[in-house]
Amino acid sequence: MPAFVGAVQVINLGSSGVFHIGDVFQIQPLSNSKTFAGAGSFNTGDGLSVYNERSSTNTYDQDGLDQGNYFNV
């Protein structure tokens, strides 16, 4: 159902974000990312205690290509 939209101001839109106004059948944002994180990097919670005596993150990636979004079109 069509709608009337007034003034719109977009301050920031991420690289894989979608800004849409109006009718749409399907929206498919695509993005690729590679994340390297050490031990205890993504822990969340109240009163969290993480003890990592010796920790190192190997960021060397010997393969030339990673899995892509080839069939997600």
Side-chain angles (χ1 to χ4, degrees):
M1 183 169 144
F4 293 103
V5 179
V8 176
Q9 180 181 11
V10 178
I11 302 298
N12 190 5
L13 188 64
S15 62
S16 64
V18 174
F19 176 74
H20 172 75
I21 296 177
D23 296 336
V24 67
F25 172 71
Q26 188 174 21
I27 297 177
Q28 291 180 316
L30 300 176
S31 71
N32 292 323
S33 67
K34 183 181 290 189
T35 303
F36 296 104
S41 295
F42 298 117
N43 292 327
T44 58
D46 295 332
L48 185 66
S49 296
V50 178
Y51 299 99
N52 296 318
E53 293 293 328
R54 293 182 180 159
S55 176
S56 65
T57 302
N58 183 8
T59 59
Y60 175 69
D61 189 10
Q62 65 185 2
D63 59 346
L65 298 173
D66 292 326
Q67 182 177 357
N69 287 335
Y70 305 121
F71 300 109
N72 292 336
V73 189

